[in-house]
Amino acid sequence: MAKGITRERIVAAALDLLNDKGMDALTVRALASRLGVGAPALYWHVRNKQELLDEMSTFVMRRVTAALSEIAAGAGWRDGVAAYARVLRSEYLLHRDGARIFSGTRFSDPGVVKAKEPWLGRLTAAGFSLAEADDAIDLVTAFVVGFVIEEQERSQSAGADPGRYSLAERDAWLGEGADLVKAAGHLRDDGDRRFERQLGVVLDGLAARLR
Amino acid sequence: MAKGITRERIVAAALDLLNDKGMDALTVRALASRLGVGAPALYWHVRNKQELLDEMSTFVMRRVTAALSEIAAGAGWRDGVAAYARVLRSEYLLHRDGARIFSGTRFSDPGVVKAKEPWLGRLTAAGFSLAEADDAIDLVTAFVVGFVIEEQERSQSAGADPGRYSLAERDAWLGEGADLVKAAGHLRDDGDRRFERQLGVVLDGLAARLR
DNA sequence: ACCTGAACACCGTTCAAGT
DNA sequence: ACCTGAACACCGTTCAAGT
């Protein structure tokens, strides 16, 4: 019953395995056994493990572009860019270590790269030059990637080593001085709010380019 | 002559090996042989490979904080934050896949975290609230991490697969349509200039918070 | 205290052979 | 066309034993 392995089923199972067991446990052998086949069977459908990882990240990015094509048809540039940032973050957050694994990989699907087209159109229509529009998309993408990498690392090592991020232990670990660092740690609120505030700063910076 | 392995020598050799051969070739065995010892010898000085990676990233971040303590004593907040962003980027660029490997890791040295203290002081003195100052540092860090991950991935896969990033091949790969994406690709200039422009946008966004 | 030799339980990948 | 079985050249890590 497990036969009839396809490229899509392999990618889907790989994403499941990643979420279940984490990056280190995402091995060709474990993936194959989850699909009910031997490890060499996968090499009929996929050139090597790197191609599998590329395919996984292409899958995630296709979901991002699909989610975006439904939104933001008539919205202003600011709301549109904000929606892009939120969708990218939430898709990364769906997968363990998503930002680290899926960022900075080459897409096997031209459609994912082409998805930039309407955004460039919207931004230039709003008054940005083409170069500014391209910079804007790259900047927002870079911000989301960096933000979520830190966010996921934090939540993961909090799970593995609870107390490492408790405020009291952190204060003790920091030792003498560093009062502002400690105070800032106590002010720190949840990821959603911090994301929205920092995204707002980026959008304000982009808005400043329109004058 | 190769004896007298220390933690520092191991970390230095690991960074060398990373630059020479890349992430996949950074194995405990290869590192040991470069130091003229057997692989198990390293486990006397380091708990496991993860601890070695943490130590490497702490080393890199110590260089960042050291470089910063020499600059930016009397500079304004904007120049100071810009200097931080540039130093962080250039230290990441010194190591192959530096941004991906060294971002989002836990520091073994409280001193690295404490280095935020003078920055929080400078930003609050300039009129930011403590929460805004903390956000500002995180935002700039996230931007640099995301930017350099993309930058290093691009330069690495350009080295491995030349032509993959040639404009003509890329245009052909994109196929029909996507005229703005293609035009933006042709406008794209070098990393330094793109970094400075995007950093400027972030700084403008932060400046908007001062009113 | 510091390192070696040998071993354990794994990896990704290849390839002849089966159906 | 699709998959198995067996094998190759590796991994990270442990541990008794040496000095």
Side-chain angles (χ1 to χ4, degrees):
Chain A
M1 56 123 262
K3 300 310 161 51
I5 300 312
T6 86
R7 226 154 190 280
E8 293 80 44
R9 283 196 56 206
I10 293 174
V11 170
L15 288 167
D16 276 3
L17 180 55
L18 173 64
N19 272 15
D20 276 11
K21 312 278 185 180
M23 181 64 177
D24 289 345
L26 176 55
T27 70
V28 174
R29 288 170 143 94
L31 177 56
S33 97
R34 184 170 276 233
L35 287 162
V37 298
L42 299 188
Y43 287 81
W44 180 263
H45 304 274
V46 155
R47 197 195 311 265
N48 51 33
K49 190 175 183 180
Q50 186 54 55
E51 184 173 296
L52 172 65
L53 292 173
D54 290 350
E55 213 60 39
M56 290 166 70
S57 99
T58 299
F59 177 89
V60 170
M61 288 312 293
R62 264 197 282 254
R63 282 184 45 104
V64 172
T65 61
L68 285 174
S69 66
E70 293 176 8
I71 319 177
W77 72 266
R78 190 173 171 124
D79 287 343
V81 171
Y84 163 64
R86 291 184 192 115
V87 166
L88 184 59
R89 171 169 177 253
S90 68
E91 289 296 333
Y92 279 159
L93 285 179
L94 280 179
H95 305 282
R96 185 161 352 171
D97 284 325
R100 165 164 265 133
I101 296 172
F102 301 132
S103 66
T105 51
R106 299 299 96 206
F107 305 122
S108 57
D109 181 358
V112 170
V113 178
K114 278 190 182 178
K116 275 172 89 170
E117 186 77 9
W119 296 94
L120 292 174
R122 237 164 268 157
L123 286 165
T124 51
F128 291 99
S129 73
L130 182 55
E132 284 172 338
D134 198 45
D135 270 337
I137 297 175
D138 283 355
L139 164 56
V140 171
T141 305
F143 160 62
V144 174
V145 166
F147 186 95
V148 181
I149 282 180
E150 176 66 22
E151 186 175 20
Q152 290 185 313
E153 151 63 26
R154 196 172 294 267
S155 76
Q156 166 163 342
S157 76
D161 179 7
R164 176 75 158 81
Y165 284 96
S166 95
L167 289 171
E169 289 212 31
R170 189 180 124 107
D171 287 355
W173 178 75
L174 281 168
E176 293 299 304
D179 294 332
L180 293 173
V181 174
K182 289 173 187 167
H186 289 259
L187 282 176
R188 203 178 185 87
D189 51 4
D190 71 274
D192 289 351
R193 277 203 282 267
R194 291 181 48 248
F195 182 78
E196 288 297 327
R197 283 199 309 269
Q198 295 183 27
L199 175 58
V201 171
V202 172
L203 294 172
D204 284 351
L206 290 173
R209 282 293 175 280
L210 282 181
R211 282 169 244 138
Chain B
M1 56 123 264
K3 299 309 162 52
I5 300 312
T6 88
R7 225 154 190 279
E8 293 79 45
R9 283 196 56 205
I10 292 173
V11 170
L15 289 167
D16 276 2
L17 180 56
L18 173 64
N19 272 15
D20 275 12
K21 312 277 186 179
M23 181 65 176
D24 289 346
L26 176 56
T27 71
V28 174
R29 288 170 143 93
L31 177 56
S33 98
R34 185 170 275 235
L35 288 162
V37 297
L42 299 188
Y43 286 82
W44 179 262
H45 303 274
V46 154
R47 197 195 309 267
N48 51 34
K49 190 176 182 179
Q50 187 53 55
E51 186 175 294
L52 172 65
L53 292 172
D54 290 350
E55 214 59 40
M56 289 166 71
S57 98
T58 299
F59 177 88
V60 170
M61 288 312 294
R62 263 198 283 254
R63 282 184 45 105
V64 171
T65 61
L68 286 174
S69 66
E70 293 176 9
I71 319 177
W77 72 266
R78 188 171 173 126
D79 288 342
V81 170
Y84 163 66
R86 291 182 193 118
V87 166
L88 184 58
R89 171 169 176 252
S90 66
E91 289 294 332
Y92 279 159
L93 285 179
L94 280 179
H95 305 283
R96 202 189 304 194
D97 283 325
R100 166 163 265 136
I101 296 172
F102 301 132
S103 66
T105 51
R106 297 300 97 205
F107 305 122
S108 58
D109 180 359
V112 170
V113 179
K114 279 190 179 177
K116 275 172 88 170
E117 186 76 10
W119 296 94
L120 293 173
R122 236 164 267 157
L123 286 165
T124 51
F128 291 98
S129 73
L130 182 55
E132 285 172 338
D134 199 43
D135 271 337
I137 296 175
D138 283 355
L139 164 56
V140 171
T141 305
F143 159 63
V144 174
V145 166
F147 186 95
V148 181
I149 282 180
E150 177 65 23
E151 185 175 20
Q152 290 186 313
E153 151 63 26
R154 194 173 295 266
S155 75
Q156 166 163 341
S157 76
D161 179 8
R164 177 75 158 81
Y165 283 97
S166 94
L167 289 171
E169 290 213 28
R170 188 181 125 106
D171 286 356
W173 178 75
L174 281 170
E176 293 299 304
D179 294 332
L180 293 174
V181 174
K182 290 174 186 166
H186 289 258
L187 283 176
R188 205 178 183 86
D189 52 4
D190 71 273
D192 289 352
R193 277 203 282 267
R194 292 181 46 248
F195 182 77
E196 289 298 327
R197 283 199 309 270
Q198 295 183 25
L199 176 59
V201 171
V202 173
L203 294 172
D204 284 352
L206 291 173
R209 283 292 176 279
L210 282 180
R211 284 169 240 138

